[in-house]
């Protein structure tokens, strides 16, 4: 799909995954968790039900711990290429076999395909996002 100048964007999406009674997300501080809707971003504008999971909480937390030590360390964060949406998509597939909606995952490449996006890229690449209100996830932070 070609990005058209003047095309309306519905949003620059921050996504997270709610599973086993907690919300998990990724930002420049690494993987974080909170009570659902517990960041200063508040309640979500939209919720996409990806279904149920057979993955136990223990296995899920071990999986998150390994992601936090490898692919989703804080220093790996990049606003356009490795962000909260990348994390949500990865985790959703692990839990349910389903991806998050493509209108979310395709947005960065659509923006960067424009002259405006390319002109802003140096500035945008320097932006680090970490929604306040979450706790940095650690397998040993009291969660079990």
């Amino acid at each position: 799909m070609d990005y058209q100048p003047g095309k309306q964007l519905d949003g620059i999406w921050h996504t997270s995954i709610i599973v086993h009674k907690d919300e998990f997300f990724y930002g420049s501080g690494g993987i974080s968790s909170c009570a659902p809707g517990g960041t200063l971003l508040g309640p979500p504008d939209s919720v996409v039900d990806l279904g149920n999971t057979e993955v136990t909480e223990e296995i899920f937390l071990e999986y998150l711990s390994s992601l936090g030590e490898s692919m989703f360390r804080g220093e790996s964060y990049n606003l356009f290429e490795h962000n909260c949406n990348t994390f949500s998509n990865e985790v959703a597939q692990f839990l349910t076999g389903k991806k998050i909606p493509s209108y979310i995952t395709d947005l960065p490449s659509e923006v960067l395909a424009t002259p405006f996006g390319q002109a802003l890229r140096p500035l945008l690449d320097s932006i680090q996002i970490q929604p306040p209100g979450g706790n940095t996830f650690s397998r040993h932070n009291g969660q079990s």
Side-chain angles (χ1 to χ4, degrees), residues 45-135:
D45 292 330
S46 177
V47 175
V48 176
D49 187 342
L50 297 171
N52 296 316
T53 186
E54 298 296 319
V55 177
T56 66
E57 185 173 14
E58 183 177 0
I59 291 172
F60 176 66
L61 294 177
E62 288 293 335
Y63 168 73
L64 274 190
S65 181
S66 70
L67 287 182
E69 295 169 1
S70 59
M71 293 173 34
F72 291 99
R73 296 182 320 276
E75 61 269 19
S76 300
Y77 181 87
N78 178 281
L79 182 63
F80 280 102
E81 293 163 353
H82 194 72
N83 55 35
C84 61
N85 304 323
T86 313
F87 171 78
S88 293
N89 199 45
E90 178 80 22
V91 173
Q93 289 178 78
F94 174 78
L95 291 170
T96 67
K98 297 178 185 173
K99 296 182 177 186
I100 66 172
S102 61
Y103 68 85
I104 295 171
T105 54
D106 292 349
L107 181 62
S109 60
E110 288 181 25
V111 170
L112 290 176
T114 68
F116 183 70
Q118 283 299 309
L120 284 180
R121 182 159 192 166
L123 170 66
L124 296 173
D125 277 344
S126 69
I127 295 174
Q128 300 290 309
I129 297 177
Q130 180 65 27
N135 300 308

Side-chain angles (χ1 to χ4, degrees), residues 24-46:
F24 297 90
F25 56 94
Y26 173 65
S28 60
I31 298 172
S32 297
S33 65
C34 63
T39 71
L40 289 182
L41 297 174
D45 292 330
S46 177

